[in-house]
Amino acid sequence: MRQKFFIFLAGTLTPFFLFFVAGLSGCRQASKGKIAFAEAGQVEITDSFWSPKLKQWSTVTVNDILDKFEGKHPDLDDRHKHNAFVNFDDVAEGKRGTGRHAGFPWFDGLVYETFRGVSDLLTQHPDKETEKRIDGYIDRIYAAQQTDPDGYINTYTDLVEPGHRWGDNGGVLRFQHEVYNAGWLIEAGIHYYRATGKVKLLEAATRLANYMCDRMGPEPKKNIVPSHSGPEESMMKLYWLYRNSPDLKSKMSIPVNEDAYYSLAQFWIENRGNHCGYPLWLAWGNREAEKWIKEEKYRDARFGENARPSWGSYAQDSIPVFEQKTIEGHAVRATLLATGIATVALENHSPRYIQTVSKWWDNMVGKRMFVTGGVGAIHYDEKFGADYFLPTDAYLETCAAVGVGFFSQRMNELTGNGKYADELERALYNNVLTGISLSGDKYTYQNPLNAHHHSRWVWHDCPCCPPMFLKIVSALPEYIYASENDKLYINLFIGSNTEMELGNGCLVGVALQTNYPWDGKIAVNINPEKAKEFSLKIRIPGWAQGVENPYDLYRSDLKPDITLTVNGVPEKINTIDGYTEIRRIWKKGDQVELNLPVQPRIITANEQVKDLNNMLALASGPLIYCLEETDNPNLDNLTADTASPLELHYASDLLGGVNRITGTAIKDGEKVTITAIPYYAVGNRQKGSYKVWLPKNKKL
Ligand code: FUB
Ligand code: ZN
């Protein structure tokens, strides 16, 4: 029904639809990557996997997160009953240096990130109540900013350390998160404007961006870089927004010079590693290093007039980024910095930028990524470990997997290579999706592959993951379809429809129907305005070709059996850079059918991963599976029986409807049946153990 409506729309109301979307767009389409993605609002998700989830997250999750940031939720313990919005009210009342602040210094940023996620969800599911709720918060944030003559806003610094703005006078920017918070305000302003057409938050964000541009940069400005990355991409989006919608400037009560935003984004990237060389965070330890900064030792004459401290390899600030060959440090910071560099590269096409992020991505995916798409092996400092250090009890913060997704998506946009979308998909269906309970109101922070006593939490001292989760899932409509001249790309297999204008002027309605990831059949309906020659490029995932990882970090036993037809006629699959291309004269009603092999497969890791020698994991399609103690008692005594077949069954009454994999294992010398569920659904029944990696039975 919906589909018919869309086809009707495509034929009749298209100019209005495109006008409306283009009117509020501008922060993605403008980028000059190899491929250009459809914008938010142009794509409607309709499938039975993502659509109900997005509806639930738009209602249950959004209100849950906002309630919890207000400290209002009945399930919160006393520790979590603080209201992050009161920080803004205090600042709006002119309070400074009270020493009282609800939550960590980055709570402002977490609230703004939530707004970005809510905005994108509103684009899909408009909701006046939610909009009213966000408008109320925006008024409070705007009022807080109005009390500062410069347009500065960061509630922690104002309320607790007013003398340390931007890390001045011994402030520790690494803890204060001011530039980080500013970055998230900017993206929230952009996304809320895009969703609603309202400019109040965007104006507040632009005012703060202007202040940063006045203050940060080459001398005589100050050498300030975001200690936690993220703002690099935000600044580029702000630049693109105003460059592509110059009329928008007249709606602002402040001047807008978008070139300054682009310059500052580059400055932030290029000035990492440009500092006085101290403190030595790893050698001295965090406490000593912070003391050194607070005592303003960097002001020593030998370091020069404008010296700043180093934020360390943890914050990707020990050496210049272009000299850094591997992905290092705090995993969220690292992946978001990489995202920022890739985003700037969409504009400046600098070989230094492109080579740097390509190397980091190769290192991450080839040597440091977990089979669920998670990264950040080490608990201390929440950071990347050495190559091939992939222990089963690794840290793997949800936010870091979101960072992997954002980074991979930008690399896909920059290069048009499908291997990047493969890893976006891996992170998304596994380490990202596990970050939320099936009820939509419980979350995870760490996502180890094997765990004892696992449970989800209602709220956290550092609730950074729920907002990051919202940001990536709400962006999904933008990751499915792309174009390059007269080529239309299908990137993710999410039931949806859109309309794309190709470089040859051809307007194409395209709709994807699928039951993915539960089966591998994907129907693509093509409806060009009139018959026209162009290419359809469909991603053929590496896992479906039996290539579990592009650098052999993981291997599978899958026998690739992929079929492709056009209007029922078999079509040859010739995968180049991750896509097969079908070039022909397309006409209304053409249908392509792709079948990907989702039968269960066994994954093993490269021998260099010592922790995973003689272990195996199970997968089906993009999903990694795990054994939960609930289904598999005495989990620790099980060893996998690789000789017995694996079966895949859809269980509509299990975990909201999932495919489960059954097979056999050996327990105390006896064969027993095992049941595996998708990893993302772990921890939704009872607290307990689970395992993605099972030891192989050596006797078989
Ligand atoms: O520092 C802000 C966020 O909080 C980080 O991205 C997370 O790792 C958590 O530390
Ligand atoms: Zn997090």
mmCIF file of all heavy atoms in Angstrom, residues 397 399 445 464-465, ligand 2:
data_model
loop_
_atom_site.group_PDB
_atom_site.id
_atom_site.type_symbol
_atom_site.label_atom_id
_atom_site.label_comp_id
_atom_site.label_asym_id
_atom_site.label_seq_id
_atom_site.Cartn_x
_atom_site.Cartn_y
_atom_site.Cartn_z
ATOM 1 N N GLU A 397 33.263 -0.065 24.055
ATOM 2 C CA GLU A 397 32.181 0.873 24.382
ATOM 3 C C GLU A 397 31.204 1.023 23.204
ATOM 4 O O GLU A 397 31.618 1.082 22.039
ATOM 5 C CB GLU A 397 32.805 2.235 24.729
ATOM 6 C CG GLU A 397 31.779 3.250 25.138
ATOM 7 C CD GLU A 397 32.382 4.604 25.497
ATOM 8 O OE1 GLU A 397 33.605 4.691 25.702
ATOM 9 O OE2 GLU A 397 31.601 5.581 25.568
ATOM 10 N N CYS A 399 29.668 3.657 22.279
ATOM 11 C CA CYS A 399 30.011 4.880 21.534
ATOM 12 C C CYS A 399 31.128 4.645 20.522
ATOM 13 O O CYS A 399 31.149 5.271 19.460
ATOM 14 C CB CYS A 399 30.507 5.971 22.487
ATOM 15 S SG CYS A 399 29.230 6.725 23.479
ATOM 16 N N TYR A 445 27.170 -0.083 28.052
ATOM 17 C CA TYR A 445 28.342 0.769 27.835
ATOM 18 C C TYR A 445 29.446 -0.112 27.254
ATOM 19 O O TYR A 445 29.863 0.049 26.128
ATOM 20 C CB TYR A 445 28.761 1.373 29.179
ATOM 21 C CG TYR A 445 29.729 2.524 29.106
ATOM 22 C CD1 TYR A 445 29.365 3.790 29.547
ATOM 23 C CD2 TYR A 445 31.023 2.343 28.640
ATOM 24 C CE1 TYR A 445 30.261 4.854 29.508
ATOM 25 C CE2 TYR A 445 31.922 3.401 28.594
ATOM 26 C CZ TYR A 445 31.537 4.652 29.033
ATOM 27 O OH TYR A 445 32.424 5.702 28.994
ATOM 28 N N CYS A 464 26.886 8.405 28.114
ATOM 29 C CA CYS A 464 27.258 8.902 26.785
ATOM 30 C C CYS A 464 26.719 8.009 25.669
ATOM 31 O O CYS A 464 26.515 8.479 24.542
ATOM 32 C CB CYS A 464 28.781 8.977 26.669
ATOM 33 S SG CYS A 464 29.600 7.445 27.148
ATOM 34 N N CYS A 465 26.495 6.719 25.981
ATOM 35 C CA CYS A 465 26.166 5.781 24.900
ATOM 36 C C CYS A 465 24.739 5.943 24.362
ATOM 37 O O CYS A 465 24.550 5.878 23.141
ATOM 38 C CB CYS A 465 26.429 4.352 25.348
ATOM 39 S SG CYS A 465 28.163 4.068 25.773
HETATM 40 ZN ZN ZN B 2 29.586 5.844 25.494
#
